[in-house]
Amino acid sequence: MAAVCVLLVLILLHKTDLCSSVAVSSTDAVLITVDQSGKGDYRRIQEAINAVASNNSELVYISIKPGIYREKIVVPADKPFITLSGTEGSNTTITWNDGGDIFDSPTFSVMASDFVARYLTIRNDFGTTGKGIALRVSADRAAFYGCQILSYQDTLLDDFGRHYYYNCYIEGATDFICGNAASLFESCQLHSLAKNLGTITAQHRNSPSENTGFTFLGCKITGLDGGTTLGRPWGPFSRVIYAHTYMSSAISPDGWQDWDDPRKERTVYYGEYKCYGPGADRSKRVRWSRELSRDESLPFLNKAMIGGRSWLRPTPVHFKKHVK
């Protein structure tokens, strides 16, 4: 019976994904350029986003010329199918310095579905004295390629929806990937700035019926020796998987925290599968984390966990000019 229910959910998700993509061509897009020198359609990124029609139903590709853009960006919920692309993650930077509330402080907030970001640095310069979110993703079907996401505490608020991060660099010290999304991080680097008591993830799954969690596949963890754990439970059924991931000596021997609530040790799902490096030694891991078998790890080792085959789209190859 449980298997039938899971199958029905997957079918419904698949139908939803198909409905979301029929309105757009995967190879054609409206091209908008952002250039601080004035040679593009707009000088500021938010101006380009504002120019997209509400209830948009076609792909919009916003090409951002290199530079440091001091802006607080919001992609509103009524503007799906937008791609924001720099040329290299290291030379196209969006930065702000707000702190405090996790929903108000982000430098960059994605509220629209079917969003893509490529080759951008997204940074919050708030500092080390509190929460300063660089990127908030509160929408379904969002993908990030070759991006750098930088802050100190709560760097990436991976709030809800299905998300894919590929070849991204994510930096922070405390709970620097947090939220209740269903997300696959593939070939990403996670860099801890913590000298001690650092935590990479704070996943917020609240019940076993929620199909959410963070999977890190083929990633690399770096940072100062011994000061960081792999995660702690924001929600009682927090779920985080690391597979085929290099763990440097930045990872503490115990590996995981219970956030001073031993009751959560019985309900969290924290797993490791074929990880390697000095921080992957499980001989001193907390007893309530799991060394996964091949069969246990299989559901987390591909894009099926986020339904990605039906909504991840290629970069457009044909463009038409934006008309102001």
Side-chain angles (χ1 to χ4, degrees), residues 29-92:
V30 175
L31 177 63
I32 300 175
T33 57
V34 177
D35 188 339
Q36 290 176 322
S37 72
K39 296 179 180 178
D41 296 307
Y42 300 95
R43 292 178 181 266
R44 298 176 65 82
I45 298 166
Q46 190 66 58
E47 290 175 343
I49 295 169
N50 293 346
V52 177
S54 296
N55 303 313
N56 173 57
S57 61
E58 58 184 342
L59 292 183
V60 176
Y61 191 93
I62 300 176
S63 178
I64 305 168
K65 299 302 181 184
I68 297 175
Y69 294 82
R70 299 191 181 278
E71 302 186 48
K72 193 166 182 172
I73 302 295
V74 177
V75 183
D78 64 348
K79 297 190 179 186
F81 305 116
I82 289 177
T83 294
L84 288 182
S85 181
T87 54
E88 296 179 21
S90 59
N91 67 13
T92 308

Side-chain angles (χ1 to χ4, degrees), residues 178-305:
C178 57
N180 195 23
S183 294
L184 175 60
F185 298 79
E186 187 172 5
S187 301
C188 294
Q189 181 176 353
L190 316 175
H191 183 73
S192 174
L193 299 172
K195 296 179 180 179
N196 55 63
L197 302 178
T199 312
I200 295 174
T201 66
Q203 208 279 332
H204 201 279
R205 185 166 173 254
N206 290 302
S207 79
S209 64
E210 290 182 309
N211 189 25
T212 61
F214 302 154
T215 295
F216 299 90
L217 176 60
C219 293
K220 179 180 181 181
I221 300 172
T222 56
L224 298 176
D225 287 355
T228 298
T229 56
L230 297 167
R232 59 180 181 171
W234 189 4
F237 290 86
S238 180
R239 181 164 61 180
V240 181
I241 309 297
Y242 292 87
H244 300 289
T245 287
Y246 172 80
M247 298 181 180
S248 73
S249 55
I251 298 303
S252 63
D254 53 353
W256 305 86
Q257 299 180 45
D258 64 10
W259 216 329
D260 299 322
D261 186 353
R263 293 172 300 175
K264 292 179 180 177
E265 296 176 6
R266 300 191 299 269
T267 54
V268 299
Y269 191 98
Y270 287 159
E272 300 167 55
Y273 177 70
K274 289 194 173 180
C275 295
Y276 60 101
D281 181 359
R282 286 191 48 80
S283 62
K284 296 182 180 179
R285 284 290 194 264
V286 293
R287 66 185 183 279
W288 40 272
S289 69
R290 307 167 185 237
E291 184 171 6
L292 301 180
S293 68
R294 181 178 180 275
D295 288 345
E296 288 172 326
S297 68
L298 280 178
F300 305 101
L301 299 185
N302 56 65
K303 297 180 182 67
M305 64 163 289

